[in-house]
Amino acid sequence: MAPAAAEGGGRMNILGRLFPRSLTNAYQGSWAAVWLLAPVLIIKTMIGFNFSGLNPFISVSEVLQTVDGVPLDTFSPAAVASIISSAGAWGMALFALCLFTWLVVVRYRAGLPAAILLLLIEQVGRTGVDTVGLVAEVAATRAMPAAGAVINLGMTALLTIAFLLSLLRVKHLN
């Protein structure tokens, strides 16, 4: 009976770290998770800022064509406007999600596992099927994918590792 209780208690501890009763600055996970999260969060914040249209020096259509490999010049003007509008809406949502995550990193670190999970859900939800296809295509043709695809694959890997590390209970030295 004791091992089963300990096993269930372990699940409760992980759920407790994922969904803490209060959002304090008492982070219990591995600090390696924060170090893996930091570059991803910086990149995602910049991407969200740029795609949202808030950056006057970046053209969303140029980024879509050069980084993501979207052939906008082959679409009708209405389709291009729709694609740019959708990219802007996603960029604003991503920027807001990143600002929330920065708030958690700075002030409410007990919520880091949940914040990392939200970023991971956004990342995998947006790129999941494409990532599987990308890996299969690269394996079959050895062709280099678009820069955006490589960046997304790297961010997915870093966020996955950061999420798992954030759930580990680590004793921190005071």
Side-chain angles (χ1 to χ4, degrees), residues 19-174:
F19 304 111
R21 290 188 187 272
S22 63
L23 289 178
T24 65
N25 226 5
Y27 174 60
Q28 297 177 359
S30 170
W31 283 100
V34 179
W35 286 103
L36 291 173
L37 171 65
V40 173
L41 188 53
I42 290 168
I43 291 169
K44 283 182 136 336
T45 303
M46 290 177 4
I47 290 170
F49 181 74
N50 291 337
F51 267 90
S52 67
L54 295 174
N55 188 344
F57 304 108
I58 300 289
S59 164
V60 175
S61 61
E62 188 175 320
V63 172
L64 285 169
Q65 289 178 317
T66 58
V67 177
D68 293 327
V70 178
L72 290 178
D73 54 345
T74 64
F75 301 134
S76 70
V80 170
S82 180
I83 291 168
I84 291 173
S85 176
S86 294
W90 164 75
M92 185 55 76
L94 179 63
F95 188 59
L97 179 59
C98 289
L99 291 178
F100 166 77
T101 305
W102 281 112
L103 178 67
V104 170
V105 168
V106 171
R107 180 64 181 96
Y108 302 107
R109 288 191 198 110
L112 268 172
I116 295 170
L117 179 60
L118 283 175
L119 286 174
L120 184 58
I121 289 170
E122 183 277 331
Q123 184 72 26
V124 171
R126 185 174 43 81
T127 65
V129 174
D130 290 339
T131 300
V132 172
L134 169 72
V135 171
E137 181 182 331
V138 169
T141 64
R142 306 245 187 251
M144 188 63 182
V150 173
I151 291 168
N152 279 319
L153 187 59
M155 287 195 295
T156 300
L158 288 175
L159 284 171
T160 301
I161 296 167
F163 175 64
L164 294 173
L165 289 172
S166 73
L167 293 176
L168 293 178
R169 184 177 198 107
V170 177
K171 282 191 173 186
H172 299 287
L173 300 175
N174 291 332

